[in-house]
């Protein structure tokens, strides 16, 4: 007898319980919907207190969360939409009390109407996803010319290595944020717990670009699930930015990911300069949605704050 195939209960690595245990230990829960003893929907939820308000949001280092729905073997569009509506409503009825909800859903959630009908605001966000079924030649040809040029240049002077030194990776990522005047969100206990959890399961790779003197030019932190490799974080030394190391690292990551994944997800950004860099690697644009909703008292406080800001600025 062949072993039973385990049913998936998540769209992506960010929804897996072990991931959430690493980034938000003891601070997350999930609501579920079952039928006939079979799990049909689940929604992992991370909730925290911000001042006077209860906020449902994304845990640290987690790009997407939201619901997972099992639509069964429904083939007709009308039936699938009906199941999506019923499962979504059943989940929404179980949401804990909150003042603010702000999350990004996985791209597997495409029907936002049940949320809109329940008073949520939704906004499209974008990522770039590369199909790894393409040959290496096709992938190279899809790169923008400046990325190919920078990669060739970097290849002549740098060596790409795999490392387990997460501290060096965090430090290099911090240099990128520091150049922008921002704190490093990866220099935190959650990142170190996550690295340990990913390493234990063989779900991460840390790449670095190093020159002959031993100096690290750039780093990339990759994670993956059964389908997708994700660009979780990257950084480069601002003093060595002209070496082309970051471009070469992303290209190398794409090629290496072919052996384990069917697609490579840049994880998206709404920042124009970052979007331009991600777009240059030839991926297809993919939409995912953010959900937002505020209670009456939170909305009142938000509008009050805006009004005070306007008064004082004038």
């Amino acid at each position: 007898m062949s072993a039973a195939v385990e049913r998936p209960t998540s769209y992506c690595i960010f929804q897996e319980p072990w991931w959430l245990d690493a980034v938000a230990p003891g601070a997350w829960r999930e609501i579920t919907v079952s039928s006939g003893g079979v799990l049909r929907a689940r929604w992992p939820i991370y909730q925290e207190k911000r001042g006077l308000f209860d906020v449902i949001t994304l845990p640290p280092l987690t790009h997407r969360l939201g619901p997972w729905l099992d639509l069964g073997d429904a083939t007709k569009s009308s039936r699938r939409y009906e199941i999506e509506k019923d499962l979504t409503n059943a989940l929404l009825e179980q949401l804990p009390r909150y003042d603010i909800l702000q999350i990004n859903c996985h791209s597997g959630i495409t029907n936002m109407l049940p949320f809109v009908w329940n008073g949520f605001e939704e906004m499209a966000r974008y990522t770039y996803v590369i199909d790894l079924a393409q040959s290496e030649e096709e992938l190279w040809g899809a790169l923008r010319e400046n990325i190919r040029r920078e990669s060739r240049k970097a290849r002549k002077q740098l060596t790409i290595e795999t490392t387990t030194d997460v501290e060096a990776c965090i430090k290099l990522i911090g240099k990128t944020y520091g150049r922008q005047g921002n704190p490093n969100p990866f220099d935190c206990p959650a990142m170190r717990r996550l690295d340990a959890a990913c390493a234990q399961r063989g779900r991460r790779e840390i790449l670095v670009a190093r020159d002959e003197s031993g100096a690290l030019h750039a780093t990339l932190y990759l994670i993956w699930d059964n389908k997708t490799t994700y660009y979780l974080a990257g950084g480069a030394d601002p003093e060595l930015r002209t070496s082309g190391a970051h471009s070469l690292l992303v290209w190398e990551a794409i090629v290496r990911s072919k052996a384990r994944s069917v697609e490579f997800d840049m994880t998206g950004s709404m920042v124009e300069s970052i979007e331009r860099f991600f777009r240059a690697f030839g991926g297809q644009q993919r939409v995912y949605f953010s959900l937002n909703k505020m209670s009456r008292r939170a909305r009142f406080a938000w509008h009050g704050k805006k009004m005070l800001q306007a008064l004082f600025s004038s």
Side-chain angles (χ1 to χ4, degrees):
M1 263 180 89
S2 59
V5 178
E6 187 175 345
R7 294 173 62 251
T9 57
S10 64
Y11 288 125
C12 61
I13 192 172
F14 305 115
Q15 293 179 320
E16 294 184 17
W18 67 265
W19 174 283
L20 295 163
D21 284 339
V23 298
W28 73 279
R29 50 170 291 196
E30 64 180 21
I31 54 179
T32 61
V33 178
S34 297
S35 177
V38 177
L39 183 67
R40 298 299 307 279
R42 61 183 287 264
W43 188 342
I45 293 168
Y46 171 74
Q47 191 166 7
E48 62 183 14
K49 198 80 173 179
R50 294 183 185 175
L52 300 175
F53 301 112
D54 291 304
V55 181
I56 294 176
T57 186
L58 295 172
L61 313 177
T62 302
H63 287 260
R64 298 157 206 162
L65 206 54
W68 166 84
L69 307 178
D70 177 9
L71 304 183
D73 56 2
T75 55
K76 290 186 177 180
S77 296
S78 59
R79 177 58 179 154
R80 292 175 66 85
Y81 297 147
E82 181 182 8
I83 295 173
E84 286 176 338
K85 177 183 176 183
D86 291 344
L87 291 177
T88 301
N89 285 338
L91 289 173
L92 291 175
E93 289 171 359
Q94 299 181 66
L95 278 179
R97 193 192 73 82
Y98 63 90
D99 295 296
I100 300 170
L101 184 148
Q102 294 177 324
I103 62 164
N104 296 331
C105 295
H106 184 267
S107 57
I109 298 295
T110 58
N111 183 4
M112 306 307 293
L113 286 174
F115 297 100
V116 173
W117 292 331
N118 280 277
F120 288 81
E121 296 177 356
E122 48 91 8
M123 183 180 74
R125 304 179 70 89
Y126 302 89
T127 184
Y128 288 94
V129 178
I130 297 168
D131 178 6
L132 297 177
Q134 300 175 85
S135 68
E136 186 171 332
E137 291 73 20
E138 289 172 321
L139 291 169
W140 179 258
L143 300 181
R144 200 165 56 197
E145 177 54 38
N146 71 304
I147 297 296
R148 292 200 295 265
R149 184 172 60 251
E150 289 177 358
S151 297
R152 292 191 196 99
K153 173 185 176 182
R155 184 79 71 183
K156 295 176 181 178
Q157 56 182 317
L158 302 174
T159 301
I160 305 302
E161 303 172 3
T162 298
T163 181
T164 58
D165 189 349
V166 68
E167 295 301 329
C169 177
I170 291 171
K171 183 177 179 181
L172 201 48
I173 290 171
K175 290 185 177 183
T176 294
Y177 282 92
R179 180 176 61 86
Q180 300 162 349
N182 297 319
N184 182 3
F186 295 91
D187 189 3
C188 62
M191 181 63 191
R192 293 168 177 88
R193 289 193 303 267
L194 179 62
D195 181 67
C198 288
Q200 180 183 354
R201 292 165 177 81
R203 296 288 194 93
R204 67 96 160 99
E205 185 174 26
I206 306 172
L207 297 179
V208 294
R210 190 189 304 272
D211 64 24
E212 291 182 351
S213 71
L216 293 179
H217 287 232
T219 187
L220 209 59
Y221 196 99
L222 306 172
I223 56 171
W224 56 84
D225 50 36
N226 293 333
K227 179 182 179 182
T228 308
T229 293
Y230 300 88
Y231 177 123
L232 182 68
D237 189 326
E239 296 182 4
L240 303 172
R241 290 178 67 202
T242 60
S243 69
H246 200 180
S247 295
L248 176 60
L249 271 182
V250 177
W251 165 248
E252 185 71 22
I254 292 168
V255 173
R256 293 185 181 207
S257 297
K258 282 175 60 63
R260 59 173 173 252
S261 302
V262 299
E263 61 182 25
F264 187 94
D265 191 337
M266 293 292 190
T267 62
S269 177
M270 300 296 278
V271 178
E272 187 174 3
S273 59
I274 300 175
E275 183 275 343
R276 183 169 57 250
F277 178 72
F278 285 167
R279 172 165 36 95
F281 289 88
Q284 295 296 308
Q285 199 175 77
R286 183 175 295 175
V287 177
Y288 62 99
F289 292 93
S290 67
L291 288 173
N292 298 273
K293 190 176 182 181
M294 287 193 285
S295 66
R296 182 174 297 179
R297 75 185 191 118
R299 193 173 295 276
F300 179 80
W302 186 82
H303 284 297
K305 179 181 178 180
K306 291 294 182 181
M307 185 178 295
L308 288 173
Q309 289 175 339
L311 286 172
F312 281 107
S313 64
S314 61

